[in-house]
Amino acid sequence: MHAPASAPASASTSACTSDSGSADAPGSAPTQAELLDFARRTAADAELIASLPLDPEGRTWVRLDGPGGSEAWLIGWPPGTGTGWHDHADSVGAFVIAAGELRENSLAARLPTDGWRTLELTDGVDRARRLPAGQGRSFGRHHVHEVLNTSADRHAVSVHAYHPPLPQIRRYSRTGQVLRLEQVEHPEAWQ
């Protein structure tokens, strides 16, 4: 966590922001577009972005209140850090880069949700995106990806939002075209 865009690697502090988007009505779940809009507006909040403590070695994060009961995170990425391959189970999400640049590697394939430990991926499923400050994306359920700060000398900062709040994160290892489920994390591991 992306923190949870993936669960974060080291904790920092907690803070909250409020959002007055249309998804705040009781019982309404925010759409991917609303999560992306929230992430964009939050990433443009220079004061909030500057308040995130940056660690030279490990990711730092601050938990935010997202729209419509979603879970949101402000994450600092030191040079050379990343999430590893993972998904967000049944949650949809979005993230936007506030500073620096991140790379997202993802799979353009629908994977089975349960009952497997190893999958052989077909050719042509890999996608890669470079996302500079101001850019972002949304994604649906079971989206498998990894997010990386490939810079050798510059931190990146990003905003992530998920709905429903992350029930779990499945972590994978990858060797060539073989994807292997390694671990299932639950919220208590990153909150």
Side-chain angles (χ1 to χ4, degrees):
M1 29 330 271
H2 114 325
S6 327
S10 67
S12 127
T13 61
S14 288
C16 295
T17 65
S18 64
D19 177 21
S20 58
S22 62
D24 286 330
S28 75
T31 65
Q32 289 179 41
E34 289 168 328
L35 293 174
L36 184 60
D37 181 60
F38 166 82
R40 278 201 174 101
R41 286 184 285 115
T42 305
D45 182 339
E47 186 177 335
L48 176 65
I49 302 311
S51 74
L52 179 66
L54 299 177
D55 184 305
E57 299 193 16
R59 283 187 291 157
T60 54
W61 60 90
V62 174
R63 180 143 187 197
L64 308 171
D65 287 333
S70 63
E71 178 175 353
W73 300 85
L74 175 64
I75 303 173
W77 305 75
T81 59
T83 61
W85 288 94
H86 66 281
D87 72 15
H88 308 99
D90 290 322
S91 297
V92 299
F95 66 102
V96 172
I97 293 36
E101 180 176 284
L102 293 174
R103 175 185 172 99
E104 181 197 34
N105 297 322
S106 63
L107 299 178
R110 197 150 185 90
L111 302 180
T113 57
D114 291 308
W116 65 276
R117 300 241 9 125
T118 303
L119 286 177
E120 177 100 17
L121 301 171
T122 60
D123 290 336
V125 299
D126 289 297
R127 301 290 181 268
R129 289 182 174 84
R130 289 182 47 206
L131 299 163
Q135 297 294 308
R137 72 173 312 245
S138 63
F139 51 86
R141 298 171 37 193
H142 308 290
H143 175 69
V144 177
H145 69 164
E146 67 176 348
V147 179
L148 310 156
N149 178 359
T150 59
S151 172
D153 59 0
R154 186 168 178 207
H155 266 80
V157 176
S158 57
V159 177
H160 304 253
Y162 310 95
H163 193 276
L166 295 171
Q168 65 184 18
I169 293 175
R170 290 181 291 230
R171 297 207 172 267
Y172 306 98
S173 63
R174 180 157 180 203
T175 306
Q177 293 301 100
V178 177
L179 188 70
R180 177 171 282 118
L181 177 64
E182 296 291 346
Q183 179 181 9
V184 177
E185 292 178 2
H186 296 281
E188 55 275 8
W190 63 80
Q191 296 182 1

